[in-house]
Amino acid sequence: MSNLSEVKTQQNVGIAQAQSSNLQITQTKSVNLKDTTQSHSEAKQEEGNVISDILQEHLLDHHSYNFFNVFHIDLPVILYDKQLYLYPSMKSMMAEGTFTEIHHQIVRKDTQQPPKLDMSITALVMFQWLSILLLLFAFITSAKKYKKQPKTAPKGLQNMLEVLVLYIRDEIVRPNISSKRLADVLSPYFVALFFFILVMNLFGLIPGGHSATGNLAVTAGLSIIAYFVINGSAIFHVGFSHWLKELTGGAPWGIWIIMIPIEILSMFTKPFALTIRLFANMTAGHVIIFSLLGLIFMLHTFAIVPISIGFSLFIYTLELLVAFIQAYVFTILTAVFVGLTTAEHSLEH
Amino acid sequence: MEKLLSVDPGLLIWTMINFLIFLFLLLKFGFKPMMNALKAREDGIQNSIKSAEAATENAQKLLQEAQNKLNEASKEVLTIIQKGREQSNAIINEAKEEAEKLRQEKMENAVKEITLAQEAAFKQIKYEIAGLVVDATEKIINEKLEKEKDYELINKYIENLSKN
Amino acid sequence: MDPKALAFLAAGLGAGMSVIGAGVGIGKLAASALESAGRQPEASGKLQTMMIIAAALIEGVALFAEVISLLLAIK
């Protein structure tokens, strides 16, 4: 990582600002380097770092939000280390002096150890809240319409939401979960899951937006909830003893010693696969777009511009599709797993 | 870049909190009204289908009734026409019979009258003939009433006349 | 040879090979799903769902490989 940016963050300037100014500096530098016929490899190395920095800025979580240097929001820092520390921003945390930031990581000044828990409102938390607000706005306005004219055909936003909600209920939840009662209880969870993931995915495609689902912690959080939903519904629906029996896979007792570890492992690999799938799909698209655009800066030629732009547009469109598909896949796989663990006849074969 | 694959526990906890809050708010303000409205709409559609079916049935019934009435009316008309025709036929027949009777009577009367008249005429004629015969006889007698044969002839003739 | 370079090589090769595997798998899946849909067009809705689920599972395995490659590349 460039030393320049480190120095600048310690000077309490926003990270992103530092990086973008860094980019400008390097660009001018590389022009100079060309003129002075110095080795290109060094310049290329630095450009690679700059692109990597921008990628990090886009993909990773931060304690502030920067919109193309047009405006900059400092987000509150909440730390827990034997006691609760609340700071309105990174700057005030550094000014207070208990904690400091080294290598993009908050550490205690005295022990150089990170705090026990960093519950800061980061950019991705902010984007989650934004998606929640957007979704609630959409749902509440359409709910009002339902109350105002309950028997007319839906129109516009209301119609779109209704189509998606009914699709989730009738095509994802009900066919996969055999018990109708359980399906009706769980359908709000699946609707919430689908819309939450979808809107977070789509936020990453808006210029200046971050997709929260491109972070392992976010997808892991969703998967942990999915894990509890899968096993909780199994325990509540078929009973705890039956759920324990499921762990034997319905096999004769002789091979329980193999089956039980496998079943326990698969209990955890299911949500783990969900986590990785969503994270990797959302991250991969962003990385590809940035890499394609980075080619322009790496190769120093305008000839590559149409190729880069064309391909990144293509990937962008693909990402739009992937945003929907991954929300759908996460939802339907959770529904399938719930259906598998709650199926009445699963012990019969 | 190593941070890309690290899980930040704070963000993980925030995600779970956010999702649960979202689930709760969605359930309360978005999902339930939507489902209730959908249920109401489904019920409404069901009801209107049912009422439409009932209305169709009703209309069918009314149509059937009207058809029945129409059929009855046409039957009645037919019977009335039939009756009328029968009546008229009867009247015609009666009239015919009466006329026949009348004719018969008249004919009989006429025949009677004719016979009466004939008889009267015969009587008259007989009378006259007798007179004439008498006259003629007188004349013949006066001239040649001698032959027995002539008398005989005259008598025979008169007898024949009276027989007729 | 520089061990770091070897790690990068391994990451690239691993990513590429896992993509080959996933590509072959999803391709076969899609081929047979389309064939079945052609034979039984009325079941195409159900087939599509099952195809997406199976594709997601194959993709999941491939993504594990990709993540391992990524770990190799950035650690």
Side-chain angles (χ1 to χ4, degrees):
Chain A
M1 238 42 75
S2 59
N3 292 324
L4 192 63
S5 73
E6 228 169 78
V7 170
K8 285 215 168 181
T9 35
Q10 280 185 347
Q11 286 168 348
N12 298 338
V13 177
I15 307 155
Q17 258 173 321
Q19 278 159 0
S20 50
S21 54
N22 194 1
L23 173 68
Q24 284 163 4
I25 290 163
T26 348
Q27 271 178 327
T28 46
K29 209 194 256 176
S30 67
V31 173
N32 290 341
L33 284 175
K34 254 190 182 171
D35 291 345
T36 50
T37 64
Q38 279 192 15
S39 74
H40 276 233
S41 68
E42 198 184 318
K44 273 201 175 147
Q45 183 72 39
E46 263 190 55
E47 271 150 20
N49 281 343
V50 169
I51 290 161
S52 163
D53 282 354
I54 292 170
L55 198 55
Q56 273 194 42
E57 150 73 14
H58 184 75
L59 291 175
L60 295 182
D61 203 5
H62 302 285
H63 288 279
S64 61
Y65 175 65
N66 181 42
F67 183 81
F68 296 116
N69 295 345
V70 177
F71 63 86
H72 184 87
I73 305 168
D74 282 318
L75 294 163
V77 178
I78 303 165
L79 300 172
Y80 179 78
D81 195 29
K82 283 171 195 149
Q83 73 170 90
L84 203 63
Y85 295 92
L86 286 169
Y87 303 105
S89 72
M90 207 71 170
K91 256 184 250 176
S92 59
M93 182 195 82
M94 236 107 63
E96 197 262 346
T98 320
F99 295 96
T100 186
E101 193 188 30
I102 299 170
H103 295 287
H104 298 294
Q105 196 165 17
I106 295 170
V107 290
R108 254 190 119 88
K109 234 177 191 169
D110 43 0
T111 58
Q112 297 288 309
Q113 288 296 312
K116 275 196 182 125
L117 193 57
D118 179 3
M119 284 285 284
S120 311
I121 314 291
T122 54
L124 293 187
V125 177
M126 192 188 82
F127 271 98
Q128 286 180 22
W129 286 352
L130 272 178
S131 3
I132 289 172
L133 284 178
L134 197 73
L135 279 169
L136 283 180
F137 171 75
F139 269 96
I140 288 170
T141 42
S142 66
K144 264 184 200 156
K145 262 189 203 162
Y146 277 116
K147 267 180 197 157
K148 219 187 270 173
Q149 19 184 232
K151 282 191 181 164
T152 50
K155 267 196 298 189
L157 180 73
Q158 186 194 4
N159 192 14
M160 189 189 87
L161 287 179
E162 191 187 309
V163 166
L164 286 173
V165 168
L166 287 185
Y167 181 80
I168 293 163
R169 196 190 67 180
D170 295 339
E171 304 291 327
I172 295 180
V173 183
R174 282 189 180 165
N176 287 312
I177 300 174
S178 49
S179 154
K180 195 179 176 297
R181 197 174 55 86
L182 188 66
D184 282 350
V185 169
L186 286 182
S187 54
Y189 162 72
F190 287 108
V191 170
L193 188 65
F194 177 80
F195 280 103
F196 195 51
I197 294 173
L198 176 66
V199 173
M200 284 198 294
N201 287 351
L202 290 177
F203 257 116
L205 297 179
I206 299 169
H210 296 275
S211 66
T213 41
N215 189 297
L216 260 182
V218 176
T219 55
L222 292 172
S223 296
I224 287 168
I225 292 172
Y227 172 82
F228 282 119
V229 166
I230 291 165
N231 288 295
S233 60
I235 289 168
F236 277 112
H237 189 69
V238 295
F240 186 70
S241 58
H242 194 275
W243 177 74
L244 275 182
K245 261 193 222 162
E246 264 323 271
L247 288 184
T248 63
W253 62 272
I255 44 174
W256 279 12
I257 205 158
I258 310 165
M259 283 311 286
I260 290 175
I262 288 176
E263 286 288 328
I264 289 175
L265 205 66
S266 86
M267 207 164 78
F268 290 103
T269 50
K270 281 170 189 171
F272 184 67
L274 287 179
T275 312
I276 299 294
R277 178 176 304 112
L278 185 56
F279 158 74
N281 269 292
M282 294 328 293
T283 308
H286 294 282
V287 172
I288 292 169
I289 289 174
F290 273 95
S291 309
L292 283 170
L293 293 179
L295 278 180
I296 301 170
F297 301 101
M298 293 291 280
L299 298 179
H300 288 294
T301 163
F302 282 116
I304 199 78
V305 168
I307 299 168
S308 285
I309 299 285
F311 271 100
S312 58
L313 253 180
F314 167 70
I315 297 291
Y316 192 92
T317 325
L318 197 71
E319 275 292 280
L320 202 62
L321 183 69
V322 164
F324 277 91
I325 287 180
Q326 287 311 314
Y328 170 73
V329 162
F330 196 105
T331 316
I332 199 168
L333 282 179
T334 313
V336 166
F337 294 150
V338 170
L340 282 178
T341 52
T342 58
E344 306 281 352
H345 54 82
S346 56
L347 269 185
E348 281 165 19
H349 45 78
Chain B
M1 284 302 269
E2 298 93 61
K3 272 188 95 178
L4 192 62
L5 286 178
S6 65
V7 176
D8 179 10
L11 185 57
L12 191 143
I13 293 164
W14 266 122
T15 307
M16 286 162 77
I17 294 169
N18 286 345
F19 181 75
L20 292 177
I21 291 171
F22 172 60
L23 179 59
F24 173 74
L25 291 177
L26 180 74
L27 190 62
K28 187 133 197 226
F29 297 113
F31 194 76
K32 273 199 179 146
M34 194 184 222
M35 284 298 129
N36 288 343
L38 284 179
K39 191 99 187 50
R41 196 194 294 158
E42 262 167 40
D43 288 349
I45 289 168
Q46 200 68 39
N47 281 346
S48 36
I49 286 172
K50 259 185 201 163
S51 64
E53 260 169 26
T56 319
E57 232 167 70
N58 213 19
Q60 209 75 36
K61 229 186 249 170
L62 284 179
L63 196 69
Q64 196 66 39
E65 256 169 47
Q67 200 69 42
N68 284 350
K69 266 184 194 167
L70 208 66
N71 284 351
E72 265 168 38
S74 62
K75 249 183 215 168
E76 225 165 279
V77 166
L78 273 182
T79 48
I80 286 168
I81 288 170
Q82 195 71 29
K83 248 184 214 171
R85 207 170 275 163
E86 271 168 24
Q87 243 166 358
S88 62
N89 277 354
I91 287 167
I92 286 167
N93 283 349
E94 230 168 79
K96 261 186 190 167
E97 271 167 29
E98 225 156 277
E100 189 73 12
K101 232 192 237 167
L102 218 64
R103 196 174 63 96
Q104 208 79 28
E105 251 169 47
K106 270 189 181 163
M107 221 142 89
E108 271 167 26
N109 281 351
V111 168
K112 250 182 216 166
E113 257 164 51
I114 287 166
T115 42
L116 279 179
Q118 229 173 4
E119 273 169 23
F122 268 123
K123 262 179 196 166
Q124 191 80 30
I125 288 166
K126 236 189 227 174
Y127 200 71
E128 272 179 28
I129 287 171
L132 281 175
V133 168
V134 170
D135 283 348
T137 328
E138 270 174 24
K139 276 175 189 172
I140 292 165
I141 289 168
N142 285 341
E143 287 170 16
K144 52 175 181 179
L145 201 55
E146 294 147 359
K147 290 176 186 174
E148 271 191 24
K149 232 183 177 178
D150 288 338
Y151 276 107
E152 242 172 80
L153 203 82
I154 292 161
N155 279 342
K156 243 185 206 171
Y157 192 70
I158 289 167
E159 247 167 66
N160 274 348
L161 277 176
S162 62
K163 260 180 199 171
N164 285 332
Chain C
M1 212 186 227
D2 183 12
K4 214 175 166 187
L6 274 177
F8 277 122
L9 182 67
L13 278 178
M17 273 148 81
S18 62
V19 163
I20 290 173
V24 170
I26 294 177
K28 279 192 123 173
L29 170 77
S32 50
L34 282 175
E35 200 179 312
S36 318
R39 276 189 199 169
Q40 263 182 304
E42 67 275 4
S44 59
K46 200 151 192 191
L47 274 172
Q48 194 185 12
T49 320
M50 273 148 76
M51 186 182 84
I52 285 174
I53 292 168
L57 291 173
I58 295 169
E59 194 197 45
V61 177
L63 286 174
F64 286 145
E66 295 292 328
V67 169
I68 290 165
S69 308
L70 199 62
L71 271 173
L72 273 176
I74 65 181
K75 275 262 153 95

